[in-house]
Amino acid sequence: MNEAAAPGRVGDVRRRNLSLVLDSIARTGDAKPSRAQLAAGTGLTKAAVSSLVADLVESGLVSEVGLYRDGERGRPGQGLELSSRRGVVGMEINVDYLAVGLVDLGGNLRFHSAVESRNRGLAPAKVMERLGLLAAEVKAEAAAANIAILGGGLAVPGLVDAQRNLVLSAPNLHWEQEELNPRALLEGAPLGVRLSNEANSAALGELWYGTGQPDFLYVSGEVGVGGGVIIGSELYTGPGGTAGELGHIVVHPDGPGCSCGGAGCLETFAGQEAIFEAAGTPQGSLGERTELLLAALAAQEPQATQAVHDAGRYLGVALASSARLMDIEAVVLGGHFAVLAEWLKPALLTSLERYAPGLLDPGNLTVSTLEHSGTLLGAAGQVIRSVIESPFEFLLASKLA
Amino acid sequence: MNEAAAPGRVGDVRRRNLSLVLDSIARTGDAKPSRAQLAAGTGLTKAAVSSLVADLVESGLVSEVGLYRDGERGRPGQGLELSSRRGVVGMEINVDYLAVGLVDLGGNLRFHSAVESRNRGLAPAKVMERLGLLAAEVKAEAAAANIAILGGGLAVPGLVDAQRNLVLSAPNLHWEQEELNPRALLEGAPLGVRLSNEANSAALGELWYGTGQPDFLYVSGEVGVGGGVIIGSELYTGPGGTAGELGHIVVHPDGPGCSCGGAGCLETFAGQEAIFEAAGTPQGSLGERTELLLAALAAQEPQATQAVHDAGRYLGVALASSARLMDIEAVVLGGHFAVLAEWLKPALLTSLERYAPGLLDPGNLTVSTLEHSGTLLGAAGQVIRSVIESPFEFLLASKLA
DNA sequence: CCATATAGTTCAGATTGAAAACTAATTGGA
DNA sequence: TCCAATTAGTTTTCAATCTGAACTATATGG
């Protein structure tokens, strides 16, 4: 008996149905369903839904929002929605900036703020201090709007251990085995602050607040090339939690050495630095270099065009291999790749067609529309999702308080 | 409300616990646990376990096997085991042979038979006819041993649609969109016959009856190069069910064209045909060529050695990329690669160390020990697993009958 | 032969959803 | 104006199923 799965108890049924009803309300979104509609949608009886909704309303997760009239006869229903008076703070540390946002349970970004910050090489404590200022701003905004902060999500460009609040490694920040104390950013928030990986959060943001496709590979072109795999509306993390390292897929066995110790990795051909260098973009801040590169592309300068073309070609190789291995049918481009999409896509599609003909419909290669808030939304969304998936635990906690 | 998850009913608790108890008995295997031990292992009360076991015994899935004595004091328990009087037939169609086997619920291969058969290009009906002869043999053996056949699993080297009993494509058999009628092989078996992919079945066989690791990539080197990804003791199939196509990962962007329409695929460097050709092995049957190649390798013939070395190198590239993308930490070599392992492994490990240093512990690169029966066991195991995972449905059916 | 220990069963109690009957609120037509 | 029709939501009764505690069954060892 190596694995001890938990036994089913009578009470589990209610846990599950609480989650089912809450999830139904979340999915229905703006339509603000009534109890009767939820009963029809979930397959539960009206009696069961009424009882479940009563608990959810009492906990503050769900609120009744006026009457619901369809223009037909009969008693109108009470509209239900995820409370707009409860929110989660999304936070992001990246190489060049810090960002925070307040997301209510319904997924609306109620407030948003970002500052430039050269975080590479900075001590984690120093960065957390700066982030704390932004967090204070959010808290003030939340108080003003009468929104209770339930918790927060913090995305960093590196490998994290969410259980132990540990950044295992964030090479682009020059961090290694750093213990953050994210909880301190939002003192008093009952659900604390959850660490997560930037690319994974962006992928989840795209899933919950973007395209809504259930299966896709999100490609994050920040300083490194990252990826997030969404399968069946869930993040695929792999057994060790480090899946999606698209940047270190080998795209040429005779390629140059990579910072990861390997060779021929995608990142050495399609990382930001690699593209800037191949394009001959002079040194400078990220914003400046991006401007210059875009200008060069617009001017059809050959070196820049070739650089982006090559990046697209090798990205195509990596995507072809990924699609074959993981059966991926859709790709969403984010970060740098979204910015360069116009010039990148043709080479990418040609490459895909060469290495995996017919596997990926060109229409399934899309560009993220969430821009910089995707990561934020995903980081906060993970906390919101955890409430939607186990509301019972939340109910218990809020009854004690 | 786009997805309608099923509501939890009170009866679901019992469904789950029936499965939990059955699974506990299966895992404990030869130890033949008592009800009391199951209660301790599952966290259920003795009362609940007794009630659940009663149902399982009545259905015939579980049998009591004499008393259980620990040498200590107290009333001895009744040992329980998955019935050895119920079995599932595993069947395999491959390019060069057909095989069948009888697996009892406890996972013991009770009977096994295989014949050579040049199936490439043969009509599916003709192949099924030959397979029917083997199936008849199994049925006779089962009758003689007083084992009731519950169902069967049939593995084929191609992409299948298990719901519709369809082989979507099996290029190495020259089959395309073939409708088989596997159920006819085992008339009267209550669970019918389930089609599955050969590489996936071999991976599952390895999981259930081989190493027992919960996370690994199985590499099947038959005529094509296939793969099966096991994550968290489950087969990863991807959204469309075609995941694990290791053979068509791009290992060299300037590589030769592949039968899949792409270019630079692993299969063009490490497929059986590619290795034979590179090694200069003359034409002939698979068995003959394998003998010749092994002899050449034993004699340290340079061309053969180089061919296998190259195959290992490119397999290393594919595994490095796979490990990065899917966070795979262990690899099991099967089929042709298991046969060549002695000569293949050094180059493979060197390659892995070059392209993904430190990612895969050399000790986690193992060779399948199940040989040809792995696929059979996996094909049958899927049916056995489906019973273990939802015994309630089986109970219902057996009560009606 | 009895104290002790362990296995397994029986029965009351609690939780929970289904089903059906009931109350509540609204519209439209007589 | 008022009542039939219609839809929303609540109350009540019932069945399924687990827990916990008390009970019975069967072994060992002095």
Side-chain angles (χ1 to χ4, degrees):
Chain A
M1 271 172 274
N2 32 17
E3 273 176 57
R9 305 270 158 78
V10 177
D12 294 347
V13 179
R14 193 166 186 84
R15 286 174 197 242
R16 174 165 171 189
N17 285 334
L18 278 167
S19 173
L20 180 66
V21 167
L22 197 54
D23 188 45
S24 282
I25 296 173
R27 278 182 207 284
T28 314
D30 291 337
K32 306 198 190 316
S34 65
R35 289 165 176 79
Q37 288 173 324
L38 288 172
T42 59
L44 289 161
T45 59
K46 288 189 293 173
V49 170
S50 280
S51 159
L52 293 161
V53 165
D55 280 5
L56 294 172
V57 168
E58 197 200 354
S59 75
L61 291 177
V62 167
S63 12
E64 298 192 322
V65 282
L67 294 184
Y68 182 100
R69 214 162 284 137
D70 245 354
E72 296 170 29
R73 288 204 275 188
R75 171 176 167 181
Q78 292 268 25
L80 298 167
E81 67 170 11
L82 293 193
S83 174
S84 52
R85 287 286 164 74
R86 304 289 142 106
V88 171
V89 179
M91 295 173 278
E92 181 183 1
I93 295 174
N94 222 314
V95 178
D96 306 289
Y97 63 91
L98 298 171
V100 298
L102 178 62
V103 186
D104 69 20
L105 290 187
N108 307 297
L109 186 58
R110 303 281 289 268
F111 171 74
H112 178 262
S113 173
V115 297
E116 285 204 11
S117 171
R118 299 279 187 116
N119 297 318
R120 171 173 286 169
L122 225 56
K126 185 72 191 163
V127 174
M128 291 297 278
E129 194 188 317
R130 290 189 187 171
L131 189 60
L133 298 178
L134 288 180
E137 220 179 310
V138 168
K139 282 191 273 191
E141 287 287 332
N146 197 17
I147 297 173
I149 292 175
L150 298 183
L154 171 56
V156 298
L159 184 60
V160 304
D161 180 335
Q163 256 71 47
R164 296 188 294 159
N165 283 332
L166 225 58
V167 175
L168 299 177
S169 92
N172 292 322
L173 290 172
H174 300 174
W175 288 4
E176 191 92 11
Q177 288 286 339
E178 311 288 353
E179 190 163 351
L180 304 183
N181 184 13
R183 186 173 282 269
L185 293 167
L186 296 175
E187 255 172 292
L191 298 178
V193 175
R194 177 202 190 96
L195 271 185
S196 63
N197 168 270
E198 173 259 325
N200 286 349
S201 288
L204 288 169
E206 196 62 39
L207 169 69
W208 292 319
Y209 308 113
T211 68
Q213 299 170 87
D215 308 291
F216 63 90
L217 171 61
Y218 177 86
V219 183
S220 143
E222 301 288 336
V223 172
V225 175
V229 185
I230 304 289
I231 298 293
S233 297
E234 307 236 334
L235 179 69
Y236 173 88
T237 60
T242 71
E245 282 288 0
L246 201 76
H248 300 284
I249 282 189
V250 181
V251 294
H252 199 308
D254 306 322
C258 176
S259 64
C260 74
C265 299
L266 173 63
E267 201 161 297
T268 66
F269 295 99
Q272 265 177 12
E273 197 55 46
I275 295 178
F276 285 141
E277 219 160 275
T281 313
Q283 296 291 326
S285 82
L286 175 61
E288 293 161 8
R289 300 187 92 184
T290 304
E291 286 304 315
L292 284 172
L293 178 58
L294 287 174
L297 288 168
Q300 305 197 327
E301 215 193 82
Q303 197 183 351
T305 309
Q306 185 64 40
V308 172
H309 182 277
D310 285 348
R313 178 179 175 223
Y314 284 111
L315 183 55
V317 171
L319 291 179
S321 293
S322 304
R324 278 287 166 54
L325 183 64
M326 296 199 70
D327 189 23
I328 285 162
E329 290 160 353
V331 172
V332 177
L333 298 177
H336 212 223
F337 292 130
V339 175
L340 297 175
E342 190 184 332
W343 293 275
L344 195 73
K345 257 177 123 173
L348 207 174
L349 286 172
T350 306
S351 178
L352 270 174
E353 194 52 29
R354 172 164 174 205
Y355 295 109
L359 202 57
L360 219 92
D361 186 303
N364 283 340
L365 175 68
T366 54
V367 176
S368 169
T369 55
L370 297 174
E371 298 179 15
H372 275 308
S373 56
T375 304
L376 225 52
L377 286 167
Q382 287 170 68
V383 177
I384 296 176
R385 237 14 249 183
S386 75
V387 173
I388 291 177
E389 271 159 30
S390 11
F392 189 83
E393 280 64 32
F394 186 84
L395 264 58
L396 264 189
S398 61
K399 261 184 192 164
L400 295 178
Chain B
M1 271 172 272
N2 32 17
E3 273 177 55
R9 306 272 158 79
V10 178
D12 294 347
V13 179
R14 193 164 186 87
R15 284 174 197 242
R16 174 165 169 187
N17 286 334
L18 277 168
S19 174
L20 179 66
V21 166
L22 197 54
D23 188 45
S24 283
I25 297 173
R27 278 183 208 283
T28 315
D30 292 337
K32 305 195 191 318
S34 65
R35 289 166 176 77
Q37 289 173 323
L38 289 171
T42 58
L44 289 161
T45 58
K46 288 190 292 173
V49 170
S50 279
S51 158
L52 293 160
V53 166
D55 279 6
L56 293 172
V57 168
E58 196 200 354
S59 75
L61 292 177
V62 167
S63 11
E64 297 192 323
V65 283
L67 294 184
Y68 181 98
R69 213 160 283 139
D70 246 353
E72 296 169 28
R73 289 204 274 187
R75 172 176 165 181
Q78 293 269 26
L80 298 167
E81 67 169 12
L82 294 192
S83 174
S84 52
R85 286 287 165 74
R86 304 287 143 106
V88 171
V89 178
M91 295 173 276
E92 180 183 2
I93 295 174
N94 221 316
V95 177
D96 306 289
Y97 63 92
L98 298 172
V100 298
L102 178 62
V103 186
D104 68 21
L105 289 187
N108 307 297
L109 187 57
R110 302 282 290 268
F111 170 74
H112 177 261
S113 173
V115 296
E116 285 204 10
S117 172
R118 300 279 187 117
N119 297 317
R120 172 172 284 168
L122 225 55
K126 184 72 191 165
V127 174
M128 292 296 279
E129 193 187 316
R130 289 190 188 170
L131 188 59
L133 298 178
L134 288 179
E137 220 179 310
V138 167
K139 282 191 271 189
E141 288 288 331
N146 198 14
I147 297 173
I149 293 176
L150 298 182
L154 170 56
V156 298
L159 183 60
V160 305
D161 179 334
Q163 258 69 48
R164 296 188 296 158
N165 283 331
L166 225 57
V167 175
L168 298 177
S169 92
N172 292 323
L173 290 172
H174 300 172
W175 288 5
E176 191 91 10
Q177 288 285 341
E178 310 288 353
E179 192 164 351
L180 304 183
N181 184 13
R183 186 172 283 269
L185 293 169
L186 295 175
E187 255 172 289
L191 300 177
V193 175
R194 177 203 190 97
L195 272 185
S196 62
N197 168 269
E198 173 259 326
N200 286 349
S201 288
L204 289 169
E206 195 63 38
L207 168 70
W208 292 319
Y209 308 113
T211 68
Q213 300 170 85
D215 308 291
F216 63 90
L217 171 61
Y218 177 87
V219 183
S220 142
E222 300 288 335
V223 171
V225 175
V229 185
I230 304 289
I231 299 292
S233 297
E234 306 236 336
L235 179 69
Y236 173 89
T237 60
T242 71
E245 281 288 0
L246 200 75
H248 300 285
I249 282 189
V250 181
V251 294
H252 199 306
D254 306 321
C258 176
S259 64
C260 74
C265 299
L266 173 63
E267 201 161 297
T268 66
F269 295 100
Q272 264 176 13
E273 196 56 45
I275 295 179
F276 285 141
E277 220 161 275
T281 312
Q283 296 291 327
S285 83
L286 174 62
E288 293 160 10
R289 299 186 93 183
T290 304
E291 287 304 314
L292 285 171
L293 177 58
L294 287 174
L297 289 168
Q300 305 197 328
E301 214 194 81
Q303 195 183 351
T305 309
Q306 185 63 40
V308 173
H309 182 278
D310 286 347
R313 178 178 174 226
Y314 284 111
L315 183 54
V317 171
L319 291 179
S321 293
S322 304
R324 279 282 164 60
L325 183 63
M326 297 200 69
D327 188 24
I328 285 162
E329 290 160 352
V331 172
V332 177
L333 298 177
H336 212 225
F337 293 129
V339 175
L340 297 175
E342 191 184 332
W343 293 275
L344 195 74
K345 256 178 125 174
L348 206 173
L349 287 171
T350 306
S351 177
L352 269 174
E353 194 52 31
R354 171 163 176 206
Y355 294 108
L359 202 58
L360 217 93
D361 186 302
N364 283 340
L365 176 69
T366 54
V367 176
S368 168
T369 56
L370 296 175
E371 300 179 13
H372 274 309
S373 56
T375 303
L376 273 185
L377 285 167
Q382 287 169 68
V383 177
I384 296 177
R385 242 5 254 183
S386 75
V387 172
I388 292 177
E389 270 159 31
S390 13
F392 189 83
E393 280 63 33
F394 186 84
L395 263 60
L396 264 189
S398 61
K399 261 183 191 165
L400 294 178

